[in-house]
Amino acid sequence: MAQPQTDAMLLEGVRAICHCLDRAEDRRGYETDWRGRRFGHALGVALPATVEEVSRLVAYCAEHRIAIVAQGGNTGLCAGAVPIRDGGGRQLILSLRRMNRIRRIDPLTDSLIAEAGALLQEVQHAADGAGRLFPLSLGAEGSCTIGGNIATNAGGNAVLRYGNMRDLVLGLEVVLPSGEIWHGLRSLRKDNTGYDLKQLFIGSEGTLGIVTAAALKLFPPLRQVDTALLALPSCAAALNLLKALQTREDLPLTAFELIGEQSVRLVCEQFPDRSFPLASDHPAYVLIEAGWTGHHRSDAFEQCLARVWDDCGVADAVVAKSDAQAAALWFWRESITEAQLRAGPHLKHDISLPIAAIPEFVDQMDAALHSKFPGLRIVNFGHMGDGNLHYNLNAAPGVTAEKLQAWQPEIERLIYEEVAARHGSFSAEHGIGQTKVGDLARYRSAVELNLMSAVKNSLDPEGLFNPGKVIGLRPFDKACGDES
Ligand code: FAD
Ligand code: 2HG
Ligand code: ZN
């Protein structure tokens, strides 16, 4: 009979394949999620440097029934990249951070091949250096990885023009739960040879395969980017403005980001050395960006804004005159997540709705929450151009973390039921991870859940890839509980 293996013996085997961290102090950062709310013990942190090492590691773990938790930059907001605390058995974190090469840039086919551990920002710079654009853009771009962006189908600030990560991937290299390598790094624009397998892995959050490299789409560079922050009387006015701008053929809109009044106030409080460029008591603000690839009149952006100004009830605006001024305007949008973290107890709701339903949803939900839960701050912001709101909440002074936690199930139910009634989604761009497993089971149909379970069971019958994430420990049980 085979002797049971101790952790130390198993780690020896891992070390024979690749570099591995196993001291508690080295593991801790990898074991704790970005929001500091979930911690799960890992056997170690394996850091393979090649796809062959990943393949050998996966085969070794399959043989010894060690679960694998893929991790990129660990910036995910649903705790998908850290081990689960209970029920996951032995879990090894597989960090892709050493696999960070740009393998090839091909401006002629407008494509680039990057390894999964390359930072998003490194890929953006590599494309820029070749005179092209890689358009995915999000607040965590200096620390999230291409593999993580693919595994979560990341969205971000330029989806309006370029789509989600799913739209930016041409091919993938993936290590399957069997240890086999799928060499799917094709850069073709047309390829109808059977099922589009890459799409199966995009957004699968490490539960179906380990992405080790990707062929990505590049775009013409932007000759000029114009940025403005506008103050508006309401969310409905923001919707009118979006529609007015989108019907103008002379305005190549790349971003349309909503910033609610309380979001601005929170950033003002948490970053007191920064001064907001407009009066901070308008009900809504939008940050607009237009990117020009060709020639255009230098005043085209301001002309466009002037034409829609009165009809849309714009109250005030500031237009950036330099890259530094544009970055200063983006600060007010990109610092909200950090401000929420600094301010203390908070809840996140990464929802999407049909765009036309947003103003009514916001008015109705604001009123319902204020009347039922006095002391909540509604920190609403997000990618309004895509119908994606981060309808987040912070506890006002006097509302303890315990109180917010006690309120949480009812708050969540209120918001998600209303979102469902309006045919929206409770997870627009951050995924499911371990915090939204129960929500997936509640809000997706039996047909959808069965299909997802069938895919999972056929690719990973032993359930060793990222246990407890997306579909739970046993498909769609609710053992992990929910948490926003
Ligand atoms: P991780 O957090 O390491 O992993 C995320 C998930 O992917 C986990 O389930 C993990 O197991 C899996 N995974 C990671 N790498 C691989 C791989 N190579 N193969 C298989 N599975 C893998 N998200 C948005 O969509 N839009 C935003 O605008 C946005 N803004 C953000 C702003 C801030 C300040 C922060 C902190 C986060 C933001 N996010 C946003 C969330 C996060 O940055 C994205 O989800 C990002 O794509 C995660 O990348 P990562 O490398 O950090 O992945
Ligand atoms: C963003 O758009 C991110 O800034 C983070 O998706 C959202 O903090 C959040 O909830
Ligand atoms: Zn977002």
Side-chain angles (χ1 to χ4, degrees), residues 34 69-77 79-82 94 96-97 116-117 136-141 143-157 201 204-207 209-212 333-334 337-338 350 383 388 390 429-430 433 466 469-470:
W34 190 87
V69 181
Q71 191 177 101
N74 196 14
T75 67
L77 297 172
V82 299
L94 192 166
L96 278 299
R97 292 306 314 281
L136 190 79
S137 162
L138 47 100
E141 62 199 20
S143 43
C144 65
T145 63
I146 284 298
N149 301 150
I150 291 169
T152 58
N153 182 28
N157 302 327
F201 297 101
S204 69
E205 303 184 47
T207 61
I210 311 291
V211 175
T212 49
R333 165 62 183 85
E334 295 294 30
T337 301
E338 179 63 30
D350 168 35
H383 318 285
N388 176 192
H390 299 303
E429 60 170 6
H430 297 157
N466 219 0
K469 315 293 165 51
V470 185

Side-chain angles (χ1 to χ4, degrees), residues 74-96:
N74 196 14
T75 67
L77 297 172
C78 304
V82 299
I84 52 169
R85 209 184 56 191
D86 303 311
R90 281 181 171 126
Q91 297 166 79
L92 180 75
I93 292 176
L94 192 166
S95 167
L96 278 299

